[in-house]
Amino acid sequence: MKSFAVSENEVGKRLDEAVFSLGYTLSRSKASALIKAGKVFVNGKHEKAHYLLELGDEVEVGEEEIRPTTLLGEDIPLDVIYEDDDILVINKQAGLVVHPGNGNPTGTLVHALIHRGTSLGGGDEGRPGIVHRIDKDTSGLLCVAKNDVAFASLAKQLSDHSMSRRYYALVLGVIYEDDGKIDAPLARSKKEPMKYCVDLKGKESVTFFHVEKRFKSDDVTLVSCRLLTGRTHQIRVHMEYIGHPVLGDPLYGKGNRKIYNAGQLLHAYELTLTHPRTGEKMTFSAPLPKHFLEVLDHLHE
């Protein structure tokens, strides 16, 4: 049982909101479930999730019940960039799905983590420890939570945009602006459910890009992208939206995926986060994979 005294910062907040925002649960819905289960007390009494906190209230929070995963481990090699008792940073290879889902019940990063005996905290049974993900055909960095405290901290950093993620992308066409901002909300496509599209009624989605190199004779551009938000397929949809789809993209590439036969040329090369236990700001980097470098070697600036 953990407890806290309500300070001025929490006065007027709903009970479920405060329990989540202070890091006692992994989501607001789980905070509500914990309250409903009778595991949260205010001044020694049960209160509803909508109870508004008052200065000096004493709140006690019981432990969440974490169900053990039933997934079986699989011997899949992983490139571990960093690991401690709280987090694990992986340089994911292209072609590896992050967690089980429709069409991918096995052979995922989660199965590989279970095989190596990594403790995983937070998330649901099918995606333990997975706070954020990158697409199957995208390579690069992602961080895994090894306990519930780490999961809650990393999830909050994603939510408030304090976690920074940068990508390299080789895109079709020459971009003449040195820098750009793509501010276009995204939603799942109604015509093609596997795809996402720009939709004014969608969720806020912002991508910043910077031109690293122009290859005019090959009609392609190397850009670095920084995500403000982290929507599904965000960079891929945004670059296609401005007329410069990612090379090798099987969904949004408009036929360009076979130009170099090298797969999707999108790589998460830098990840910056605040360590959930120490508060230290940490930046990790991962070099471009071989297939990406081989394409760049054949281009002419």
Side-chain angles (χ1 to χ4, degrees):
M1 186 75 73
K2 301 173 184 177
S3 63
F4 66 91
V6 174
S7 67
E8 292 182 359
N9 293 330
E10 285 83 48
V11 170
K13 283 186 178 180
R14 286 171 54 112
L15 178 59
D16 56 350
E17 179 188 1
V19 170
F20 164 59
S21 64
L22 291 173
Y24 290 95
T25 61
L26 306 176
S27 67
R28 186 163 170 175
S29 62
K30 288 193 174 185
S32 296
L34 205 62
I35 294 167
K36 191 173 182 180
K39 295 189 176 183
V40 179
F41 301 85
V42 180
N43 302 322
K45 299 189 303 180
H46 292 299
E47 297 287 357
K48 301 288 187 181
H50 61 259
Y51 173 82
L52 300 181
L53 294 173
E54 299 179 359
L55 187 64
D57 278 347
E58 291 288 337
V59 181
E60 294 179 290
V61 184
E63 297 291 331
E64 290 187 81
E65 293 182 2
I66 306 297
R67 291 187 301 165
T69 181
T70 58
L71 299 175
L72 300 177
E74 296 180 46
D75 188 5
I76 301 170
L78 295 176
D79 182 8
V80 177
I81 299 296
Y82 174 84
E83 183 175 13
D84 60 25
D85 292 339
D86 299 291
I87 62 174
L88 178 71
V89 179
I90 301 287
N91 179 20
K92 186 189 81 68
Q93 62 266 41
L96 180 64
V97 176
V98 172
H99 58 73
N102 292 334
N104 297 286
T106 60
T108 72
L109 172 64
V110 167
H111 291 89
L113 292 170
I114 293 171
H115 174 79
R116 76 190 293 271
T118 305
S119 62
L120 301 170
D124 58 31
E125 184 181 359
R127 55 184 78 181
I130 303 300
V131 184
H132 67 115
R133 66 181 184 87
I134 54 180
D135 299 332
K136 172 185 176 181
D137 296 317
T138 302
S139 58
L141 297 168
L142 79 162
C143 187
V144 176
K146 298 180 68 176
N147 53 59
D148 293 351
V149 172
F151 189 97
S153 172
L154 295 173
K156 186 174 187 301
Q157 291 177 51
L158 277 173
S159 176
D160 65 18
H161 310 313
S162 61
M163 181 184 291
S164 173
R165 292 159 291 162
R166 296 176 185 268
Y167 293 70
Y168 283 127
L170 192 63
V171 302
L172 188 65
V174 177
I175 300 177
Y176 289 95
E177 299 85 358
D178 290 337
D179 297 278
K181 175 186 178 182
I182 308 169
D183 187 349
L186 300 181
R188 188 180 292 276
S189 171
K190 295 178 181 177
K191 295 181 179 179
E192 301 176 81
M194 293 295 291
K195 300 177 70 172
Y196 286 76
C197 63
V198 171
D199 185 333
L200 294 179
K201 295 181 180 179
K203 294 181 179 180
E204 178 193 22
S205 306
V206 180
T207 303
F208 298 92
F209 70 84
H210 172 74
V211 170
E212 300 288 339
K213 289 183 181 180
R214 298 180 180 91
F215 302 94
K216 294 184 180 179
S217 61
D218 298 276
D219 194 35
V220 295
T221 303
L222 178 67
V223 297
S224 56
C225 298
R226 177 172 65 85
L227 294 178
L228 179 63
T229 55
R231 309 303 177 200
T232 302
H233 300 176
Q234 180 173 315
I235 292 175
R236 298 161 63 190
V237 180
H238 273 173
M239 296 312 296
E240 188 272 338
Y241 177 67
I242 65 170
H244 298 283
V246 175
L247 289 173
D249 189 329
L251 271 182
Y252 307 97
K254 290 185 176 179
N256 72 38
R257 60 193 175 113
K258 294 183 179 180
I259 292 178
Y260 298 110
N261 291 316
Q264 184 169 282
L265 297 175
L266 180 61
H267 176 72
Y269 74 92
E270 186 178 277
L271 173 67
T272 299
L273 54 84
T274 301
H275 192 278
R277 189 177 301 274
T278 67
E280 176 189 0
K281 181 158 280 192
M282 307 178 77
T283 297
F284 305 96
S285 59
L288 285 170
K290 182 181 178 181
H291 71 280
F292 205 137
L293 289 172
E294 287 177 347
V295 171
L296 292 179
D297 286 343
H298 285 86
L299 298 176
H300 304 87
E301 284 187 61

